[in-house]
Amino acid sequence: MSRSRKFDIISAFDAAPARYETAAGLQRDVAGNLAGRIARLKHAPMPRVLEIGCGTGFLTDALRPALPNAAWTVSDIAPGMVDHCRAKFAGGDSVFLAMDGERPALRGGFDVICASLVFQWFEDLPASLGRLAALLNPGGHLAFATLVRGTFREWRAAHRMFGLNAATPAFPSAADIAGSWAESWAGYWPDDISVRGEGSVEEEEFLQTYKSARDFLLTLKAIGADTPAAGRRPLDAGSLRRILRHLDKQGSLTITYQVAYGIFTRS
């Protein structure tokens, strides 16, 4: 990922904490679902937990009751998000860290590594999965939720109506995610049989309704999720107006979010 795009992502999320809590209803729901999946796994008595991309703490909040004896390392690439969580979850032995989850600057020894709606921002998912898996203890779990193909299909279809391509990042399929797990072993730990594991990926579809197409865009901006794909620029004003008018013909706008939940366990 280019340094300038990474800076844009950090800047967008750094500006989001004040608005995120009220605008990110989907993010809260997905974090709760992921926490439920993690809670059903087998855990060490006093697990060490690393959260990647904490945001304002939806996953931390939902998962803490299920892991009451855990030692937490809570991280995000945006310092503003980390500061928000530090204030929200003050006390205990939690560590709060501004860190790029694609290149974690940490020693290993974690029993759970989790991330909710973060991996869609990663440039090289197989490499990132390999790096994170190497931080797990044997029997530890890497559990995440991420956006996959089918997300924003209505927005993309409106662009095609006018011969345009949406600047929204392209998301992998759930099968791609499952393949990335195997690829991470082959590409980064080919000779180390201790860094192996097994896992599964499940999909869930969410339909979010907005008052208008503009309301949809404002919601993305409010949560810091409006950074274009690498090498792409936002639409010019005229093209954007045409697409918004087209989408608003039916009144309210329903947008699809396709979410994949992955849980992988190191053998």
Side-chain angles (χ1 to χ4, degrees):
M1 184 184 299
S2 71
R3 181 174 299 179
S4 61
R5 183 166 189 267
K6 185 136 320 197
F7 178 79
D8 289 343
I9 292 171
I10 294 171
S11 298
F13 283 107
D14 252 344
R19 307 182 300 269
Y20 196 96
E21 295 276 338
T22 55
L26 172 76
Q27 285 71 18
R28 189 188 300 274
D29 291 342
V30 171
N33 291 348
L34 177 60
R37 284 170 162 79
I38 296 172
R40 292 191 291 270
L41 301 173
K42 182 179 179 180
H43 296 288
M46 301 180 67
R48 291 187 65 212
V49 180
L50 169 62
E51 182 177 2
I52 302 295
C54 61
T56 58
F58 290 156
L59 181 57
T60 319
D61 206 23
L63 189 54
R64 280 194 169 201
L67 301 174
N69 299 317
W72 283 79
T73 298
V74 180
S75 73
D76 198 286
I77 196 171
M81 292 294 195
V82 176
D83 290 343
H84 183 96
C85 282
R86 183 182 289 112
K88 185 175 181 179
F89 302 109
D93 59 355
S94 297
V95 174
F96 299 90
L97 181 65
M99 181 185 74
D100 183 353
E102 286 196 77
R103 294 169 179 80
L106 291 170
R107 293 180 180 271
F110 291 98
D111 301 294
V112 178
I113 299 176
C114 53
S116 184
L117 296 182
V118 178
F119 287 175
Q120 66 266 15
W121 296 106
F122 283 9
E123 178 188 35
D124 189 341
L125 184 56
S128 301
L129 289 174
R131 294 185 189 108
L132 292 171
L135 299 179
L136 287 171
N137 283 326
H141 309 291
L142 172 59
F144 59 87
T146 189
L147 297 179
V148 292
R149 189 175 301 160
T151 297
F152 301 153
R153 64 168 62 104
E154 299 84 0
W155 179 248
R156 298 182 197 278
H159 281 68
R160 291 194 295 270
M161 287 278 295
F162 296 95
L164 300 168
N165 290 317
T168 308
F171 302 119
S173 67
D176 292 334
I177 300 289
S180 292
W181 182 249
E183 186 181 340
S184 71
W185 299 141
Y188 287 86
W189 313 103
D191 302 318
D192 188 347
I193 62 171
S194 70
V195 188
R196 291 291 188 273
E198 59 183 20
S200 62
V201 178
E202 298 178 351
E203 282 190 74
E204 183 176 14
E205 183 177 275
F206 293 82
L207 299 177
Q208 296 288 106
T209 300
Y210 301 89
K211 292 182 293 185
S212 66
R214 183 172 182 271
D215 183 45
F216 163 62
L217 295 182
L218 289 175
T219 299
L220 293 184
K221 184 176 181 62
I223 64 174
D226 58 338
T227 303
R232 301 298 305 278
R233 293 185 177 182
L235 288 176
D236 63 86
S239 297
L240 180 59
R241 282 195 296 269
R242 289 197 296 274
I243 289 174
L244 295 183
R245 284 197 297 267
H246 170 75
L247 289 171
D248 284 340
K249 287 180 179 178
Q250 304 299 321
S252 61
L253 173 65
T254 298
I255 294 288
T256 299
Y257 292 79
Q258 200 73 21
V259 177
Y261 300 92
I263 296 180
F264 299 104
T265 301
R266 180 170 172 175
S267 57

